[in-house]
């Protein structure tokens, strides 16, 4: 174990880092007050702190069927016919595919990423991920915050959204199935939404994105549901692997049907916070899978990382 991983296994290390970044946690103060959380914003926080609170404040389209309401909903009717078709089954499927949404912009993003890498302004982390490029690239920031896209995501989530994270990939993630709520947990639950963008044509051998339609309706799997190996002071070493194993067992037990997103350059897939998804194995090391994903939180919700119990820092 490296010194860095060793230090990161102590909750106190995160608390100290949170204290140094305390202004980025101020947004939590009124929310903790609203929900009766008796902790300072720099303290570890996890689903265990919320499990006894009412869990009924889910996004509007989790509580109502968009397909059934669509014909009478003025906001829905204001979208183009293409978008209406794409999102109509949102409540039932937990995802929406919009063909060609970023077809005009995809190549400019590829060039931007190449340039930023050459200039050493961005670097890979966690294996092959380019994290938060939107904070360094006006182009990425403008695509991720395109007003028409923000309007669509806010409609799907039933609250205004704000861009939190972007990840760019040159190759597939090969990430096992998971729900984004384990990485970006909210209270109330489900107040996160993601947009995945194909930046080239992508077939399964390149490590295509996969997902399980309807899996967003399963209960959120928190650290209370698997052996995470942590204690009051330390985080469990293999907590994330234990989580992935738990999800895999759930997929098997429920015989969930897997689908692949074989995308054309510029196609997008929007997923619900709790939709199970991941990256397929890459069939051959030289295959690229240029893509990016934007993650958005709803405004005015508590945000944290369930595995590390760290509240999300917001600018
Ligand atoms: O792009 C992928 O392969 C997976 C991305 C993902 O799982 C995520 O961003 O949550």
């Amino acid at each position: 174990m490296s010194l860095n991983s060793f230090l990161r296994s102590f909750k106190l290390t995160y608390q100290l880092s949170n204290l140094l970044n305390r202004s980025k946690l101020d947004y939590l103060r009124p929310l903790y007050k609203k929900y009766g959380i008796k902790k300072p914003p720099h303290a570890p926080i996890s689903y265990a702190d919320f499990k006894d609170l009412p869990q009924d404040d889910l996004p509007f389209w989790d509580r109502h069927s968009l397909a059934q309401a669509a014909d009478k909903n003025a906001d829905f009717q204001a979208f183009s016919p293409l978008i209406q078709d794409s999102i109509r089954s949102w409540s039932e499927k937990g995802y929406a595919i919009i063909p060609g949404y970023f077809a005009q912009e995809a190549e400019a993003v590829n060039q931007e990423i190449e340039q930023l890498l050459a200039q050493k302004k961005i670097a890979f982390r966690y294996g092959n991920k380019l994290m938060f490029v939107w904070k360094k690239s006006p182009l990425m920031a403008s695509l991720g915050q395109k007003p028409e896209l923000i309007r669509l995501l806010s409609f799907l989530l039933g609250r205004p959204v704000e861009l939190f994270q972007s990840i760019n990939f040159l190759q597939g993630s090969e990430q096992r199935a998971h729900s984004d709520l384990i990485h970006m947990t909210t209270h109330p639950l489900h107040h996160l939404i993601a947009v995945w963008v194909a930046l080239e044509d992508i077939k399964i051998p390149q490590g295509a994105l996969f997902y399980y339609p309807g899996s967003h309706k399963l209960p959120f799997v928190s650290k209370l549901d698997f052996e995470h190996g942590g204690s009051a002071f330390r985080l469990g070493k293999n907590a994330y692997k234990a989580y992935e194993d738990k999800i895999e067992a759930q997929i098997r037990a429920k015989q969930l049907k897997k689908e692949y997103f074989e995308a054309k350059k510029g196609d997008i897939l929007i997923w619900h916070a709790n939709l199970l998804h991941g990256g397929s194995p890459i069939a051959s090391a030289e295959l690229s899978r240029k893509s990016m994903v934007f993650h958005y939180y709803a405004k005015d919700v508590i945000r944290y990382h369930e595995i590390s119990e760290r509240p999300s820092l917001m600018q």
Side-chain angles (χ1 to χ4, degrees):
M1 189 190 270
S2 68
L3 178 64
N4 194 20
S5 323
F6 176 73
L7 290 175
R8 286 166 78 114
S9 72
F10 289 94
K11 294 186 187 179
L12 188 63
T13 309
Y14 279 122
Q15 283 200 64
L16 291 175
S17 162
N18 290 343
L19 270 173
L20 291 174
N21 285 290
R22 62 168 93 62
S23 64
K24 296 178 186 162
L25 293 170
D26 277 346
Y27 73 97
L28 288 171
R29 287 185 191 283
L31 292 165
Y32 279 14
K33 197 165 169 206
K34 174 173 174 184
Y35 293 108
I37 302 297
K38 298 199 171 9
K39 284 186 167 184
H42 65 266
I45 190 102
S46 72
Y47 184 67
D49 293 292
F50 301 101
K51 69 176 184 352
D52 297 326
L53 296 182
Q55 300 293 333
D56 48 5
D57 195 10
L58 295 180
F60 187 80
W61 297 121
D62 284 15
R63 291 180 280 116
H64 305 267
S65 162
L66 175 51
Q68 282 174 22
D71 291 344
K72 295 196 195 81
N73 185 290
D75 293 334
F76 177 85
Q77 294 297 330
F79 292 115
S80 70
L82 173 75
I83 292 190
Q84 289 186 18
D85 277 355
S86 305
I87 65 173
R88 194 178 290 270
S89 310
W90 173 257
S91 304
E92 286 72 32
K93 291 185 178 167
Y95 71 92
I97 291 172
I98 309 181
Y101 192 83
F102 277 133
Q104 303 299 320
E105 297 89 346
E107 197 43 43
V109 176
N110 290 335
Q111 284 171 19
E112 175 93 331
I113 294 295
E114 234 172 73
Q115 221 171 59
L116 291 170
L117 278 169
Q119 294 166 344
K120 299 200 182 332
K121 291 192 175 153
I122 55 174
F124 291 102
R125 284 192 72 190
Y126 313 120
N128 64 1
K129 297 181 175 175
L130 295 163
M131 304 296 299
F132 291 101
V133 177
W134 79 272
K135 298 204 171 170
K136 299 199 172 143
S137 155
L139 171 66
M140 286 279 296
S142 73
L143 296 187
Q145 297 176 105
K146 191 174 168 176
E148 165 197 305
L149 179 61
I150 295 290
R151 181 165 68 92
L152 173 59
L153 301 175
S154 302
F155 171 74
L156 291 175
L157 215 45
R159 295 197 197 196
V161 299
E162 61 182 316
L163 178 58
F164 172 58
Q165 172 178 271
S166 68
I167 313 176
N168 285 71
F169 299 94
L170 297 183
Q171 289 204 295
S173 70
E174 299 194 308
Q175 210 173 329
R176 291 173 67 193
H178 62 280
S179 141
D180 280 352
L181 277 186
I182 195 73
H183 297 294
M184 289 158 279
T185 323
T186 62
H187 184 80
L189 282 171
H190 293 185
H191 283 88
L192 176 98
I193 193 163
V195 179
W196 192 95
V197 186
L199 295 173
E200 63 180 336
D201 293 356
I202 295 169
K203 294 281 183 203
I204 292 175
Q206 286 163 266
L209 185 80
F210 65 81
Y211 54 93
Y212 294 88
S215 57
H216 63 302
K217 293 184 180 172
L218 295 171
F220 166 54
V221 173
S222 77
K223 288 210 290 188
L224 300 174
D225 300 307
F226 57 93
E227 288 300 327
H228 57 84
S231 66
F233 305 105
R234 281 190 85 164
L235 298 167
K237 206 164 70 182
N238 295 316
Y240 192 63
K241 179 177 180 312
Y243 166 78
E244 290 176 321
D245 290 346
K246 173 84 188 174
I247 293 292
E248 196 172 299
Q250 191 180 52
I251 288 169
R252 232 179 294 121
K254 297 201 176 291
Q255 301 186 328
L256 299 184
K257 187 173 149 285
K258 188 180 203 173
E259 284 185 6
Y260 295 89
F261 186 35
E262 287 201 293
K264 288 272 176 222
K265 188 172 182 173
D267 291 355
I268 69 170
L269 188 148
I270 304 173
W271 67 68
H272 180 284
N274 201 34
L275 187 84
L276 298 179
H277 66 278
S280 310
I282 305 170
S284 173
E286 79 285 352
L287 289 175
S288 64
R289 198 211 66 181
K290 293 180 190 167
S291 52
M292 64 180 173
V293 58
F294 293 111
H295 293 102
Y296 303 79
Y297 278 123
K299 287 189 177 159
D300 296 328
V301 296
I302 295 173
R303 308 149 182 204
Y304 60 97
H305 183 239
E306 171 71 0
I307 296 282
S308 65
E309 303 185 16
R310 190 172 187 196
S312 301
L313 303 175
M314 302 301 295
Q315 296 294 352

